[in-house]
Amino acid sequence: MEILEEMTDEALAMRYVEGNDQAFDILLERHQEKVYAYILFVVHDRDKAEDLFQETFVRIIVKMRQRHYQPTGTFSGWCLRVAHNVVMDWYRRLRASKIVEQENDNDLSRLAGVNTERNREHELVKEQVLADVKRMMFLLPPSQREVVYMRFYQEMSFKEIADATNVSINTSLGRMRYAILNLRRMAKKNGITLEL
């Protein structure tokens, strides 16, 4: 008898498609934190993120039950692509209703821990640099902000980013390049040092 907890995500997904509900429970446990963190980063609102998270996993279940999941990439990347599509649909609905709210809470400190260093002075400098980068990230266009977040906060490869956002690897690399150029330009304009 196979032990589900030891199976790969892709094998568990196929077991769920075949009707094993316990396999999906394990997948949900493995990926819920990453998917929720991504959604929260994009929408900046915990209540809305929870709604979109629920919608994302409902959509994942429906797609899997309809056999739309194929284990050609990582299951995690596929989940993030579904989450991305759910968030983009939400943005489209907002735009269509002409109600777009700017959130004031742009603090990402709850998403990424800061490593302790040898001395407190270095820690303070590092914290300030990270805070400056996070503030500037929210001034980037959404597509650039998204790729920076996926790359540096979720440690995704450019292939995974491309799969999750449904663009080519070259497009995701280009977005990162422009994001870095924009961050450097903003830092220079505001006299911010981005070195640790």
Side-chain angles (χ1 to χ4, degrees), residues 103-151:
E103 293 295 329
N104 293 327
D105 179 19
N106 289 337
D107 179 21
L108 290 181
S109 62
R110 62 188 172 277
L111 297 178
V114 178
N115 295 330
T116 57
E117 295 295 325
R118 290 182 293 273
N119 60 47
R120 183 67 183 143
E121 181 180 345
H122 186 75
E123 282 183 40
L124 292 172
V125 169
K126 186 174 182 176
E127 288 172 13
Q128 184 60 48
V129 168
L130 290 174
D132 291 340
V133 169
K134 288 174 189 174
R135 273 195 304 279
M136 289 187 304
M137 275 178 54
F138 285 100
L139 299 174
L140 293 172
S143 60
Q144 292 175 21
R145 182 174 62 229
E146 181 178 49
V147 76
V148 168
Y149 176 75
M150 289 177 156
R151 181 72 176 140

Side-chain angles (χ1 to χ4, degrees), residues 63-119:
K63 286 182 176 294
M64 290 177 76
R65 288 292 184 190
Q66 294 173 342
R67 299 189 180 274
H68 290 178
Y69 171 76
Q70 296 298 320
T72 55
T74 66
F75 181 77
S76 176
W78 184 75
C79 288
L80 288 173
R81 185 173 343 136
V82 172
H84 171 79
N85 291 338
V86 167
V87 170
M88 291 303 109
D89 289 347
W90 174 69
Y91 274 127
R92 284 185 201 102
R93 288 190 303 267
L94 276 180
R95 197 174 335 132
S97 66
K98 304 284 190 225
I99 301 173
V100 179
E101 296 179 15
Q102 175 77 24
E103 293 295 329
N104 293 327
D105 179 19
N106 289 337
D107 179 21
L108 290 181
S109 62
R110 62 188 172 277
L111 297 178
V114 178
N115 295 330
T116 57
E117 295 295 325
R118 290 182 293 273
N119 60 47

Side-chain angles (χ1 to χ4, degrees), residues 4-196:
L4 292 175
E5 288 82 8
E6 295 176 1
M7 294 179 130
T8 65
D9 292 342
E10 292 71 26
L12 285 169
M14 296 314 293
R15 292 296 182 281
Y16 178 67
V17 167
E18 294 165 1
N20 187 330
D21 291 337
Q22 188 179 9
F24 186 80
D25 293 341
I26 295 168
L27 287 170
L28 177 63
E29 185 177 315
R30 286 182 187 176
H31 298 285
Q32 65 186 355
E33 187 175 314
K34 187 175 191 177
V35 171
Y36 179 77
Y38 166 73
I39 294 170
L40 180 61
F41 173 78
V42 176
V43 302
H44 314 296
D45 178 297
R46 286 194 180 277
D47 292 334
K48 181 47 65 181
E50 289 173 14
D51 291 344
L52 293 173
F53 174 78
Q54 295 298 324
E55 186 177 339
T56 296
F57 272 93
V58 167
R59 198 175 290 184
I60 286 170
I61 289 168
V62 169
K63 286 182 176 294
M64 290 177 76
R65 288 292 184 190
Q66 294 173 342
R67 299 189 180 274
H68 290 178
Y69 171 76
Q70 296 298 320
T72 55
T74 66
F75 181 77
S76 176
W78 184 75
C79 288
L80 288 173
R81 185 173 343 136
V82 172
H84 171 79
N85 291 338
V86 167
V87 170
M88 291 303 109
D89 289 347
W90 174 69
Y91 274 127
R92 284 185 201 102
R93 288 190 303 267
L94 276 180
R95 197 174 335 132
S97 66
K98 304 284 190 225
I99 301 173
V100 179
E101 296 179 15
Q102 175 77 24
E103 293 295 329
N104 293 327
D105 179 19
N106 289 337
D107 179 21
L108 290 181
S109 62
R110 62 188 172 277
L111 297 178
V114 178
N115 295 330
T116 57
E117 295 295 325
R118 290 182 293 273
N119 60 47
R120 183 67 183 143
E121 181 180 345
H122 186 75
E123 282 183 40
L124 292 172
V125 169
K126 186 174 182 176
E127 288 172 13
Q128 184 60 48
V129 168
L130 290 174
D132 291 340
V133 169
K134 288 174 189 174
R135 273 195 304 279
M136 289 187 304
M137 275 178 54
F138 285 100
L139 299 174
L140 293 172
S143 60
Q144 292 175 21
R145 182 174 62 229
E146 181 178 49
V147 76
V148 168
Y149 176 75
M150 289 177 156
R151 181 72 176 140
F152 294 110
Y153 289 90
Q154 293 196 315
E155 299 177 354
M156 295 172 66
S157 70
F158 283 104
K159 174 153 180 27
E160 291 172 324
I161 293 169
D163 289 343
T165 57
N166 208 22
V167 298
S168 70
I169 292 177
N170 287 338
T171 299
S172 62
L173 287 167
R175 288 176 178 174
M176 178 61 78
R177 178 177 174 268
Y178 286 115
I180 290 171
L181 290 173
N182 284 330
L183 288 170
R184 285 181 182 158
R185 182 182 45 77
M186 285 185 263
K188 185 176 181 179
K189 179 179 176 183
N190 295 300
I192 298 171
T193 302
L194 297 179
E195 296 179 20
L196 296 178

